[in-house]
Amino acid sequence: IHAALALTIMLTASNFVPSSALSGPPTFSIIDRVRNDFLALSRRSTTRHILLPKSRDAALALKQKMRNRVVDDDKFVVDVFSSAATKFSLDTTTSGDGGLLGTMMPQGYCSVQEIDRACFEAPLGEIYGPIESDYGFHLVLVCERTNCPKLDGPNTRVARTENGRTVCDSPQDGSHKSVSDQLIEVSIFLVGFWIAVSFAGGILAEAVCSLTDKLGKLS
C-alpha cells in the first residue's frame, strides 16, 4: 500500500514540477522513467498502407498523385488513400478495407518490421514512404495515434473540416485523456487494488486464527 501511495504522490507531484527540474535530482528521474514506460506501453497507432511492386518510381508517382488530390483538390487524405489502396495495393488482406492495418502497438501486431516502425515514425496525417520491405514498396498513412506527444504534439488524429480539408487535431469531447490523467487513474487503481488485497488478507488471517483456535479446543 505504501509503495502504491508513494507512486501516486510522485505521479501527481510531477504534474506541478517544471520539466527543467525533472532532469535534475535523482528522485525526478524515477518519475521520468515511470512516464516513459507508461507511454511505451500505451502507445497506439491506427494506420493504413498500400503495398506496391518493387518499383520506387511507381510508388513515388502514386504518392505524388495522392498528394495533389489532397492539396490541390482539397480532398480528405483518408478518403484519397483508402481509394488508392483499394485500387492499387497488392496486399489482398487489407486492400478491401482501404489498406487498414488496424490499431497497432509498438513492436506488436505487425509482422513487417519496416511497417511496424513507420506506424510510430511517420508524421500524423501525411502520406509517408515509399518504404522498402521484402514484399515490395509501401506507402503509409497514420490516421490516429495516441501518447506520442514528442512526434504529434497535442494532436491524436486526422480529421475532416466542414469544407472537406484535412487537419490534425485531438477530440474535444473528453474521450482522449492526457498522459498525466491516465497516470493518475492507473495509480489510483493500484492503491485501490492493494487496499482491497490487504483487507482481504486481514479477513483471511482472522478466519485462519479463529479456525486454529477451534481446532485447538477440540483437541
Side-chain angles (χ1 to χ4, degrees), residues 29-42:
S29 65
I30 298 175
I31 296 173
D32 281 339
R33 181 174 297 178
V34 171
R35 282 179 174 273
N36 292 336
D37 288 347
F38 180 82
L39 284 172
L41 291 171
S42 59

Side-chain angles (χ1 to χ4, degrees), residues 43 55 61 64 94 96 98 155 157 165 167 177 188-189 208:
R43 288 189 179 106
S55 169
Q64 188 59 51
T94 62
N155 300 319
R157 65 176 183 176
R165 293 184 177 181
V167 296
K177 299 176 182 178
I188 290 174
F189 170 79
V208 170

